[in-house]
Amino acid sequence: MTAHRSANLFAPGEPRLEYAGYAAGRCNIGPAEIARRRRFGHAALLVTAAAFVALLALGAPAWTRLLLFFPAAGAAAGYLQAALRFCADYGWRGVFNFGRAGHRRTTAVAEAEARRADRRMALFIAATSAAVGVLVALLALLA
C-alpha cells in the first residue's frame, strides 16, 4: 500500500503530505537517503579492506581478523538498505523519509500493519548484514 492511498499511514496531527514512494515493508526512503546509505556502504567497505591489509601487514594474530565482522556488516547494511530502498532504523522506529536526509525529517507510520511489515524488513536487513559480517570475518580468518 502506498502512502498517498491511505490517510492512516500518517500519525494524528501530521500533515497529509503525498509520499507516493512509501510502501510498507518495501520502501521507506527516497533518493537522498538511498545515496547516504550507499556512501556509508562504500566507506565501510574501504575500512574493511584497509583493516584487513593492515592486520596482515602488521602480522597481527589471526583472531584479530574476526574484528572485520563490524565494518563488513556495516558495509552490507549500507548496500542492502540502498538496494532495497529501505532504512532498517526507520523501519524499526516506524517512520519514513522521502525528503532531505536526516532523522529530524521523518514522517511517522501510524498504521500498525505497515509498522509490522517495516519491522520484519528491518530484521531481515539486520540478519543479512550480520551473516555477511560473519562470512567475511571467517574468510579473513582463513587467509
Side-chain angles (χ1 to χ4, degrees):
M1 175 182 335
T2 59
H4 71 283
R5 292 186 185 155
S6 174
N8 295 333
L9 290 175
F10 298 96
E14 286 282 327
R16 283 195 62 206
L17 303 174
E18 299 297 315
Y19 289 109
Y22 175 79
R26 294 192 322 261
C27 182
N28 69 355
I29 54 176
E33 295 278 4
I34 291 167
R36 184 178 183 192
R37 278 145 190 84
R38 188 174 297 112
R39 284 190 305 271
F40 180 83
H42 294 334
L45 180 61
L46 287 174
V47 168
T48 304
F52 177 69
V53 169
L55 290 171
L56 288 179
L58 294 171
W63 68 265
T64 60
R65 287 180 246 153
L66 292 175
L67 295 173
L68 294 174
F69 164 84
F70 297 104
Y79 287 133
L80 276 170
Q81 290 178 89
L84 297 172
R85 300 175 328 216
F86 194 91
C87 172
D89 177 50
Y90 287 0
W92 190 256
R93 292 189 301 131
V95 298
F96 62 90
N97 181 17
F98 286 87
R100 292 177 48 202
H103 290 286
R104 293 188 188 117
R105 299 173 184 6
T106 59
T107 302
V109 176
E111 193 172 279
E113 183 179 335
R115 285 193 312 272
R116 280 191 296 277
D118 286 352
R119 281 200 169 183
R120 279 192 301 273
M121 178 58 87
L123 288 172
F124 169 78
I125 290 170
T128 304
S129 299
V132 169
V134 167
L135 180 63
V136 168
L138 291 176
L139 288 173
L141 185 63
L142 299 173

PDB file of all heavy atoms in Angstrom, residues 20-35:
ATOM      1  N   ALA A  20       4.240   9.224  -2.426  1.00  0.00           N
ATOM      2  CA  ALA A  20       3.850   8.095  -3.263  1.00  0.00           C
ATOM      3  C   ALA A  20       4.863   6.963  -3.223  1.00  0.00           C
ATOM      4  O   ALA A  20       4.537   5.844  -3.552  1.00  0.00           O
ATOM      5  CB  ALA A  20       3.655   8.552  -4.706  1.00  0.00           C
ATOM      6  N   GLY A  21       6.092   7.214  -2.777  1.00  0.00           N
ATOM      7  CA  GLY A  21       7.107   6.182  -2.784  1.00  0.00           C
ATOM      8  C   GLY A  21       7.041   5.218  -1.631  1.00  0.00           C
ATOM      9  O   GLY A  21       7.598   4.124  -1.709  1.00  0.00           O
ATOM     10  N   TYR A  22       6.388   5.565  -0.531  1.00  0.00           N
ATOM     11  CA  TYR A  22       6.361   4.678   0.632  1.00  0.00           C
ATOM     12  C   TYR A  22       5.553   3.420   0.337  1.00  0.00           C
ATOM     13  O   TYR A  22       4.451   3.479  -0.197  1.00  0.00           O
ATOM     14  CB  TYR A  22       5.754   5.375   1.857  1.00  0.00           C
ATOM     15  CG  TYR A  22       5.608   4.436   3.032  1.00  0.00           C
ATOM     16  CD1 TYR A  22       6.700   4.108   3.835  1.00  0.00           C
ATOM     17  CD2 TYR A  22       4.388   3.837   3.315  1.00  0.00           C
ATOM     18  CE1 TYR A  22       6.572   3.229   4.882  1.00  0.00           C
ATOM     19  CE2 TYR A  22       4.247   2.951   4.361  1.00  0.00           C
ATOM     20  CZ  TYR A  22       5.344   2.653   5.143  1.00  0.00           C
ATOM     21  OH  TYR A  22       5.225   1.767   6.182  1.00  0.00           O
ATOM     22  N   ALA A  23       6.124   2.283   0.680  1.00  0.00           N
ATOM     23  CA  ALA A  23       5.423   1.008   0.568  1.00  0.00           C
ATOM     24  C   ALA A  23       5.832   0.190   1.789  1.00  0.00           C
ATOM     25  O   ALA A  23       7.011  -0.114   1.971  1.00  0.00           O
ATOM     26  CB  ALA A  23       5.797   0.277  -0.708  1.00  0.00           C
ATOM     27  N   ALA A  24       4.888  -0.133   2.624  1.00  0.00           N
ATOM     28  CA  ALA A  24       5.161  -0.840   3.878  1.00  0.00           C
ATOM     29  C   ALA A  24       5.991  -2.092   3.647  1.00  0.00           C
ATOM     30  O   ALA A  24       5.657  -2.930   2.819  1.00  0.00           O
ATOM     31  CB  ALA A  24       3.853  -1.205   4.566  1.00  0.00           C
ATOM     32  N   GLY A  25       7.117  -2.169   4.374  1.00  0.00           N
ATOM     33  CA  GLY A  25       7.983  -3.333   4.280  1.00  0.00           C
ATOM     34  C   GLY A  25       8.788  -3.423   3.004  1.00  0.00           C
ATOM     35  O   GLY A  25       9.538  -4.386   2.806  1.00  0.00           O
ATOM     36  N   ARG A  26       8.657  -2.436   2.106  1.00  0.00           N
ATOM     37  CA  ARG A  26       9.361  -2.496   0.830  1.00  0.00           C
ATOM     38  C   ARG A  26      10.154  -1.240   0.496  1.00  0.00           C
ATOM     39  O   ARG A  26      11.194  -1.338  -0.128  1.00  0.00           O
ATOM     40  CB  ARG A  26       8.379  -2.786  -0.298  1.00  0.00           C
ATOM     41  CG  ARG A  26       7.746  -4.162  -0.197  1.00  0.00           C
ATOM     42  CD  ARG A  26       7.013  -4.555  -1.468  1.00  0.00           C
ATOM     43  NE  ARG A  26       6.313  -3.473  -2.118  1.00  0.00           N
ATOM     44  CZ  ARG A  26       5.017  -3.236  -2.013  1.00  0.00           C
ATOM     45  NH1 ARG A  26       4.260  -4.007  -1.274  1.00  0.00           N
ATOM     46  NH2 ARG A  26       4.454  -2.237  -2.653  1.00  0.00           N
ATOM     47  N   CYS A  27       9.689  -0.075   0.887  1.00  0.00           N
ATOM     48  CA  CYS A  27      10.382   1.161   0.529  1.00  0.00           C
ATOM     49  C   CYS A  27      10.005   2.257   1.518  1.00  0.00           C
ATOM     50  O   CYS A  27       8.829   2.596   1.635  1.00  0.00           O
ATOM     51  CB  CYS A  27      10.007   1.583  -0.889  1.00  0.00           C
ATOM     52  SG  CYS A  27      10.860   3.077  -1.427  1.00  0.00           S
ATOM     53  N   ASN A  28      11.011   2.766   2.252  1.00  0.00           N
ATOM     54  CA  ASN A  28      10.710   3.829   3.205  1.00  0.00           C
ATOM     55  C   ASN A  28      11.676   5.008   3.124  1.00  0.00           C
ATOM     56  O   ASN A  28      11.673   5.874   3.991  1.00  0.00           O
ATOM     57  CB  ASN A  28      10.632   3.281   4.639  1.00  0.00           C
ATOM     58  CG  ASN A  28      11.974   2.828   5.184  1.00  0.00           C
ATOM     59  OD1 ASN A  28      12.985   2.822   4.501  1.00  0.00           O
ATOM     60  ND2 ASN A  28      11.975   2.420   6.451  1.00  0.00           N
ATOM     61  N   ILE A  29      12.522   5.035   2.088  1.00  0.00           N
ATOM     62  CA  ILE A  29      13.443   6.158   1.906  1.00  0.00           C
ATOM     63  C   ILE A  29      13.498   6.572   0.439  1.00  0.00           C
ATOM     64  O   ILE A  29      13.298   5.757  -0.449  1.00  0.00           O
ATOM     65  CB  ILE A  29      14.871   5.841   2.409  1.00  0.00           C
ATOM     66  CG1 ILE A  29      15.431   4.575   1.780  1.00  0.00           C
ATOM     67  CG2 ILE A  29      14.903   5.775   3.928  1.00  0.00           C
ATOM     68  CD1 ILE A  29      16.883   4.254   2.147  1.00  0.00           C
ATOM     69  N   GLY A  30      13.781   7.843   0.253  1.00  0.00           N
ATOM     70  CA  GLY A  30      13.890   8.396  -1.087  1.00  0.00           C
ATOM     71  C   GLY A  30      15.334   8.523  -1.543  1.00  0.00           C
ATOM     72  O   GLY A  30      16.259   8.025  -0.878  1.00  0.00           O
ATOM     73  N   PRO A  31      15.553   9.196  -2.657  1.00  0.00           N
ATOM     74  CA  PRO A  31      16.886   9.282  -3.273  1.00  0.00           C
ATOM     75  C   PRO A  31      17.988   9.818  -2.352  1.00  0.00           C
ATOM     76  O   PRO A  31      19.104   9.290  -2.373  1.00  0.00           O
ATOM     77  CB  PRO A  31      16.663  10.214  -4.467  1.00  0.00           C
ATOM     78  CG  PRO A  31      15.215  10.084  -4.786  1.00  0.00           C
ATOM     79  CD  PRO A  31      14.531   9.853  -3.470  1.00  0.00           C
ATOM     80  N   ALA A  32      17.718  10.848  -1.566  1.00  0.00           N
ATOM     81  CA  ALA A  32      18.763  11.412  -0.697  1.00  0.00           C
ATOM     82  C   ALA A  32      19.207  10.402   0.356  1.00  0.00           C
ATOM     83  O   ALA A  32      20.405  10.236   0.625  1.00  0.00           O
ATOM     84  CB  ALA A  32      18.268  12.690  -0.036  1.00  0.00           C
ATOM     85  N   GLU A  33      18.241   9.711   0.944  1.00  0.00           N
ATOM     86  CA  GLU A  33      18.556   8.709   1.965  1.00  0.00           C
ATOM     87  C   GLU A  33      19.240   7.493   1.344  1.00  0.00           C
ATOM     88  O   GLU A  33      20.131   6.898   1.942  1.00  0.00           O
ATOM     89  CB  GLU A  33      17.290   8.278   2.708  1.00  0.00           C
ATOM     90  CG  GLU A  33      16.641   9.374   3.527  1.00  0.00           C
ATOM     91  CD  GLU A  33      17.290   9.581   4.883  1.00  0.00           C
ATOM     92  OE1 GLU A  33      18.307   8.931   5.185  1.00  0.00           O
ATOM     93  OE2 GLU A  33      16.777  10.404   5.649  1.00  0.00           O
ATOM     94  N   ILE A  34      18.838   7.119   0.148  1.00  0.00           N
ATOM     95  CA  ILE A  34      19.464   5.987  -0.545  1.00  0.00           C
ATOM     96  C   ILE A  34      20.929   6.301  -0.821  1.00  0.00           C
ATOM     97  O   ILE A  34      21.809   5.471  -0.561  1.00  0.00           O
ATOM     98  CB  ILE A  34      18.706   5.655  -1.848  1.00  0.00           C
ATOM     99  CG1 ILE A  34      17.322   5.082  -1.516  1.00  0.00           C
ATOM    100  CG2 ILE A  34      19.498   4.687  -2.719  1.00  0.00           C
ATOM    101  CD1 ILE A  34      16.375   5.009  -2.698  1.00  0.00           C
ATOM    102  N   ALA A  35      21.188   7.497  -1.321  1.00  0.00           N
ATOM    103  CA  ALA A  35      22.570   7.901  -1.609  1.00  0.00           C
ATOM    104  C   ALA A  35      23.405   7.921  -0.337  1.00  0.00           C
ATOM    105  O   ALA A  35      24.575   7.516  -0.345  1.00  0.00           O
ATOM    106  CB  ALA A  35      22.584   9.280  -2.264  1.00  0.00           C
TER     107      ALA A  35
END
